Amino acid sequence: MRFAFAGIDFLGDVFETFLARGWEPVKLFSRPCDSIYDFNDMTLSRARSLRLPVQMSRILPADLAGLKAMGCDALVVAGYPWLITGWERHIPYAFNFHPSPLPLGRGPYPLFQAILDGLSEWGMTAHALEPAFDTGAIVAQKRFALSHTESHDTLLSKCQMAAKDLAAEIASDLPRFWDNAKPQGPGTYWPRITQAQRTVSWSGGVQDVLRTIRAFGSIEAFAQIESRYVYVWEATGWEEPHRYKPGTLVHRHRRQMVVAACDGFVQISGWSPYAPGAARQG
């Protein structure tokens, strides 16, 4: 099966899985990344090692026609931000890997919200491309449990591992999976997380604070501690009656800061006054 891949390192293992299953690559579509939150170093390096043509701009109709001329059978999309339409005239198959159990969690990046909502189950879906984001028929899907201590980073790993499994299954018999694809029906769309959702609310309980910090993990949550904002990626806490105003810095030792929540204390151990990508100090 000859295929083109559109994506970045976020789900780069999908690309590798199809290669390992004997699929023949014809082109890579990717996009510029900031190398802070998004990366494409490994994907670009792999494509160049295979001497594939690489395109960093949006896929346009002429590019789809070009894939047809290359004898491309499938366009595999994973971590690509631009809507792809009109592929049906040029390619037999086109499908996207989305990190949610569709039709729940349509949208650009639903992992944060899954943890903020305290969900007990999540999933990974491969779906056919349609003119609207994340709405196409489900080609394959894998669901898995979430723990009460789930973090963004563990959830991301679970999604990536599930994506590899789905890719291996689809690679074994794409026509069968395609023919058996199920329409999604009504679903839910989750927009991008706002800065307010990413900011710790000390007026909440200890568990609420820790859930917010876990939801962003290495992407980092915001927290106001006294008069300044810091970026936080690691904390623990305990419930204990007290008379401190929520948000009060009640104790500090070296880099450990203990802050009052409404029903206890949160000890922040991983934090920086600088944005991700800047020098870690403080």
Side-chain angles (χ1 to χ4, degrees):
M1 185 77 71
R2 291 169 62 83
F3 79 110
F5 182 75
I8 59 174
D9 290 359
F10 161 55
L11 291 175
D13 282 340
V14 169
F15 184 36
E16 290 293 340
T17 300
F18 282 104
L19 292 174
R21 294 305 188 277
W23 283 34
E24 181 183 351
V26 298
K27 187 171 182 176
L28 170 70
F29 298 93
S30 192
R31 63 174 173 84
C33 293
D34 59 19
S35 296
I36 298 173
Y37 297 118
D38 293 324
F39 304 83
N40 60 11
D41 311 42
M42 296 177 63
T43 306
L44 289 175
S45 177
R46 185 68 161 126
R48 286 165 181 156
S49 73
L50 296 168
R51 298 185 178 181
L52 296 179
V54 174
Q55 179 173 318
M56 301 295 286
S57 57
R58 182 173 183 169
I59 296 174
L60 298 175
D63 303 311
L64 296 170
L67 292 181
K68 181 178 182 179
M70 292 178 178
C72 182
D73 300 300
L75 175 60
V76 180
V77 183
Y80 190 74
W82 294 303
L83 190 63
I84 302 168
T85 59
W87 59 268
E88 297 90 343
R89 298 190 299 274
H90 306 286
I91 307 167
Y93 309 102
F95 52 97
N96 176 59
F97 286 78
H98 183 71
S100 88
L102 292 173
L104 175 69
R106 294 171 182 162
Y109 196 78
L111 274 63
F112 303 131
Q113 193 67 55
I115 298 175
L116 290 173
D117 289 350
L119 299 183
S120 60
E121 184 185 64
W122 198 241
M124 191 80 198
T125 307
H127 67 89
L129 294 188
E130 280 198 354
F133 279 116
D134 310 325
T135 57
I138 294 175
V139 176
Q141 184 176 88
K142 183 172 182 178
R143 293 175 178 253
F144 47 81
L146 301 184
S147 76
H148 67 281
T149 60
E150 203 74 51
S151 71
H152 167 265
D153 301 304
T154 59
L155 178 52
L156 176 58
S157 290
K158 289 181 178 181
C159 286
Q160 291 168 331
M161 292 165 67
K164 286 193 290 185
D165 290 343
L166 291 180
E169 293 176 8
I170 293 169
S172 68
D173 193 352
L174 173 57
R176 177 174 62 85
F177 279 94
W178 191 265
D179 291 342
N180 293 327
K182 301 293 192 298
Q184 288 190 38
T188 58
Y189 179 86
W190 293 358
R192 291 191 183 278
I193 289 290
T194 65
Q195 183 165 328
Q197 290 174 294
R198 193 176 165 187
T199 302
V200 169
S201 174
W202 297 111
S203 61
V206 169
Q207 296 307 316
D208 296 325
V209 171
L210 295 180
R211 185 182 302 111
T212 298
I213 295 170
R214 290 199 316 273
F216 296 94
S218 60
I219 303 298
E220 306 180 0
F222 300 117
Q224 183 176 4
I225 301 177
E226 296 192 322
S227 60
R228 66 172 176 171
Y229 277 91
V230 297
Y231 297 85
V232 180
W233 63 88
E234 185 176 1
T236 55
W238 65 94
E239 296 174 358
E240 178 184 333
H242 63 77
R243 295 183 179 179
Y244 291 102
K245 179 181 178 181
T248 300
L249 177 62
V250 301
H251 178 69
R252 181 168 183 173
H253 176 65
R254 299 175 68 85
R255 285 193 55 80
Q256 309 289 328
M257 295 190 294
V258 178
V259 182
C262 72
D263 61 354
F265 301 98
V266 174
Q267 180 168 297
I268 297 174
S269 52
W271 63 276
S272 172
Y274 301 97
R280 297 291 190 201
Q281 54 181 294

